[in-house]
Amino acid sequence: MPLARSWSVALLGIDGRVVEVEADIGAGLPGMKLVGLPDPGLKEAKDRVRAAVRNSGQKWPEQHVTLGLSPANLPKLGSGYDLSIAAAVLAASGAVSGSKLLGTVLLGELALDGRIRPVPGVLPALLAARREGLKRAVVPIDSMFEAALVHDMEVLGAGRLRDLLAWMDDIESLPRPEPADEIPPPSVADLADVIGQPEARWALEVAAAGGHHLLLVGPPGVGKTMLARRLPGLLPELSREESLEVTAVHSIEGKLSRSSPLIRIPPFADPHHSISLAALIGGGADIAKPGMISRAHRGVLFLDEVCEFGGERLESLRTVLEDGEVRLARRKGVVCYPARFQLVLATNPCPCAPPREADCTCSPSVRRRYFGRLSGPLLDRIDLTVRLRPLTAMHAHAHEFDEPEPTARVRDRVLHARDRAAKRWAAHGWRTNAEVPGPVLRREYALPRETTALLDRSLNMGAVTARGVDRCLRVAWTLSDLAEADRPEADHVAAALGFRDRRAA
């Protein structure tokens, strides 16, 4: 009984599982049966593949064809299995040799005329295939720029089904991806563009140095959005591992740049306050797609006019801020997307938001109700809160101490502080102070009692929570790194506690 196998990849989030595609040609009426939990789009592959094979000059078997996709209990979604199905059926029928299918993963959707169309998620699929020991991949020609990012794997491209079949019979060879040109990272906005606001600039530097979350409060037009957009320029470039994580998320959405697919600069996501909950954290009917928070992984998520977002959307971020990932349960399974980002919030102090606070027409109860849209548990997870003041002069050099520093100068200090933190936490695998668990700071790296006396008093008075104490300690370590001190002093702890003063809002 003719039987052949090929391999493809099933994606659940950015996690992939290698799928074995078995084609069995046996006795019975001509027909085709597909088993292994295919979704409606995959069930239609029977007609797509049959037409593509016929229009590629091959004969479809006139017997009963059974296709099994294993593991059988794993949901299979999308049209990316078309190429592996066609190869397995033709190898089982004896039309082509199946020897090259061993250890080769095939990805691609087939058009009715035999063209191979690109599919989303090629990068995470090949990373999963490499992890499970497959050494070669055939992908659509239009996806080779993305597949080339996977090292230690032979990547080949095919434009039509007949090209793949000729390669399987050793008649023709398939092209390999050309070496990618080294493209400089895109330019970022310069911090020197921001006039004044020394306290907010300092808070932005501290946030960049330690990976801390930041809340900016101030009237319209004082530079809240400008500051937030300049935070990615202060952060270090992503490592190779981080770049692949971020690029894999964007690959699932099919939004990679053909000229520079590997994302090396920390991403910046700024959703509008009308965004839905599913679009923010991820969602979908069968298998949830990544949301805006996953698009900001290893970068910055900026929520402008945060008080307008609504409680449900804001509260959905609380667990994500602690775990660095989001788990979404849907009918076809549970997916986990990475979401370790720096959160930057910006808001006006009240609904009327005049340029000068003296002109505010809001009553105290209205102001409290407006800012009360940010819950206590959410604010407790914000490390730095800073109030921006109205500008009094537009000339950048009105005062000598007001001369704004450029991004490059501030970034040097940030990178130096991050390097100190990375060396200190290297044995534990943490890269920034914001990642360090509270118990470690309080036990293994405990500070003298006289240094933390102010924190103890604040905790006793109820001015700060236990979580707030841990976050103050993390900020204190960042301040000491920026000051090139061996460990935080009492002044660093006091400054960290001052950043958490709710009255700043």
Side-chain angles (χ1 to χ4, degrees), residues 304-346:
D304 200 4
E305 305 296 344
V306 64
C307 289
E308 305 294 340
F309 270 77
E312 185 182 18
R313 281 161 285 183
L314 294 178
E315 296 309 304
S316 68
L317 300 177
R318 284 162 49 182
T319 303
V320 178
L321 292 176
E322 299 290 339
D323 298 342
E325 63 182 17
V326 57
R327 292 174 293 277
L328 303 168
R330 292 298 184 269
R331 182 167 58 90
K332 290 292 184 68
V334 179
V335 296
C336 179
Y337 287 111
R340 188 170 297 281
F341 52 83
Q342 280 187 251
L343 180 64
V344 179
L345 309 178

Side-chain angles (χ1 to χ4, degrees), residues 83-286:
L83 200 60
S84 57
I85 289 174
V89 169
L90 292 177
S93 69
V96 294
S97 170
S99 59
K100 286 189 174 182
L101 295 180
L102 184 64
T104 302
V105 61
L106 304 174
L107 298 173
E109 174 187 326
L110 285 174
L112 299 185
D113 61 356
R115 288 176 292 117
I116 303 177
R117 291 173 170 155
V119 292
V122 168
L123 175 59
L126 295 192
L127 290 174
R130 185 185 65 179
R131 190 167 55 246
E132 297 197 28
L134 296 175
K135 301 296 184 182
R136 183 166 55 198
V138 178
V139 301
I141 284 284
D142 292 337
S143 298
M144 288 181 67
F145 73 98
E146 180 180 346
L149 299 176
V150 182
H151 295 167
D152 302 324
M153 193 174 197
E154 182 185 4
V155 175
L156 305 173
R160 304 186 68 89
L161 177 59
R162 63 166 59 99
D163 299 334
L164 173 68
L165 302 180
W167 171 78
M168 292 172 64
D169 280 336
D170 282 326
I171 298 174
E172 296 179 6
S173 60
L174 293 177
R176 302 172 185 268
E178 298 180 359
D181 297 330
E182 190 67 23
I183 299 177
S187 59
V188 293
D190 200 290
L191 195 57
D193 299 335
V194 181
I195 300 174
Q197 308 299 350
E199 298 91 347
R201 292 169 63 94
W202 170 239
L204 195 73
E205 182 176 340
V206 174
H212 305 293
H213 306 310
L214 175 65
L215 169 62
L216 302 172
V217 184
V222 295
K224 301 188 296 293
T225 302
M226 289 184 69
L227 285 165
R229 291 187 178 278
R230 281 148 182 79
L231 179 55
L234 300 179
L235 303 177
E237 284 193 17
L238 302 177
S239 65
R240 173 76 185 180
E241 178 185 351
E242 292 170 337
S243 294
L244 288 177
E245 284 181 6
V246 175
T247 307
V249 174
H250 290 251
S251 171
I252 291 176
E253 297 184 308
K255 295 182 178 180
L256 291 183
S257 167
R258 182 176 295 274
S259 59
S260 54
L262 187 64
I263 300 173
R264 293 181 292 162
I265 297 296
F268 182 86
D270 55 342
H272 190 261
H273 59 76
S274 63
I275 190 173
S276 67
L277 181 62
L280 180 63
I281 69 170
D286 293 328

Side-chain angles (χ1 to χ4, degrees), residues 218-493:
V222 295
K224 301 188 296 293
T225 302
M226 289 184 69
L227 285 165
R229 291 187 178 278
R230 281 148 182 79
L231 179 55
L234 300 179
L235 303 177
E237 284 193 17
L238 302 177
S239 65
R240 173 76 185 180
E241 178 185 351
E242 292 170 337
S243 294
L244 288 177
E245 284 181 6
V246 175
T247 307
V249 174
H250 290 251
S251 171
I252 291 176
E253 297 184 308
K255 295 182 178 180
L256 291 183
S257 167
R258 182 176 295 274
S259 59
S260 54
L262 187 64
I263 300 173
R264 293 181 292 162
I265 297 296
F268 182 86
D270 55 342
H272 190 261
H273 59 76
S274 63
I275 190 173
S276 67
L277 181 62
L280 180 63
I281 69 170
D286 293 328
I287 293 294
K289 298 297 183 182
M292 192 68 78
I293 61 174
S294 295
R295 219 174 296 169
H297 180 56
R298 299 294 181 187
V300 177
L301 177 67
F302 175 49
L303 303 185
D304 200 4
E305 305 296 344
V306 64
C307 289
E308 305 294 340
F309 270 77
E312 185 182 18
R313 281 161 285 183
L314 294 178
E315 296 309 304
S316 68
L317 300 177
R318 284 162 49 182
T319 303
V320 178
L321 292 176
E322 299 290 339
D323 298 342
E325 63 182 17
V326 57
R327 292 174 293 277
L328 303 168
R330 292 298 184 269
R331 182 167 58 90
K332 290 292 184 68
V334 179
V335 296
C336 179
Y337 287 111
R340 188 170 297 281
F341 52 83
Q342 280 187 251
L343 180 64
V344 179
L345 309 178
T347 182
N348 299 320
C350 66
C352 72
R356 295 188 309 165
E357 190 169 355
D359 298 331
C360 177
T361 60
C362 299
S363 65
S365 61
V366 170
R367 292 172 66 92
R368 286 195 302 270
R369 187 163 56 249
Y370 181 76
F371 201 82
R373 297 175 185 178
L374 301 179
S375 69
L378 178 62
L379 288 175
D380 203 33
R381 290 167 168 82
I382 303 300
D383 305 302
L384 310 169
T385 300
V386 62
R387 181 68 178 264
L388 281 73
R389 308 298 175 181
L391 296 177
T392 57
M394 287 303 295
H395 196 280
H397 306 289
H399 302 285
E400 182 179 354
F401 57 85
D402 284 338
E403 181 178 352
E405 286 186 297
T407 291
R409 192 185 307 168
V410 179
R411 187 172 186 267
D412 287 341
R413 295 197 297 267
V414 168
L415 295 182
H416 185 64
R418 281 200 170 223
D419 186 58
R420 290 172 61 90
K423 290 178 180 177
R424 180 169 58 249
W425 312 120
H428 303 277
W430 304 312
R431 299 169 184 171
T432 62
N433 294 320
E435 300 177 35
V436 184
V440 174
L441 294 175
R442 287 182 268 108
R443 295 173 187 169
E444 299 178 36
Y445 292 84
L447 300 178
R449 184 175 295 274
E450 57 271 17
T451 302
T452 61
L454 184 59
L455 270 182
D456 294 336
R457 289 199 299 271
S458 299
L459 185 61
N460 184 51
M461 294 169 57
V464 66
T465 65
R467 180 191 289 117
V469 169
D470 291 342
R471 291 189 173 274
C472 281
L473 291 174
R474 294 172 185 141
V475 174
W477 276 102
T478 299
L479 292 172
S480 70
D481 288 335
L482 286 168
E484 301 186 8
D486 292 334
R487 59 191 303 142
E489 304 293 340
D491 290 344
H492 299 137
V493 174

Side-chain angles (χ1 to χ4, degrees), residues 76-88:
K76 320 295 189 309
L77 289 82
S79 56
Y81 303 90
D82 289 5
L83 200 60
S84 57
I85 289 174

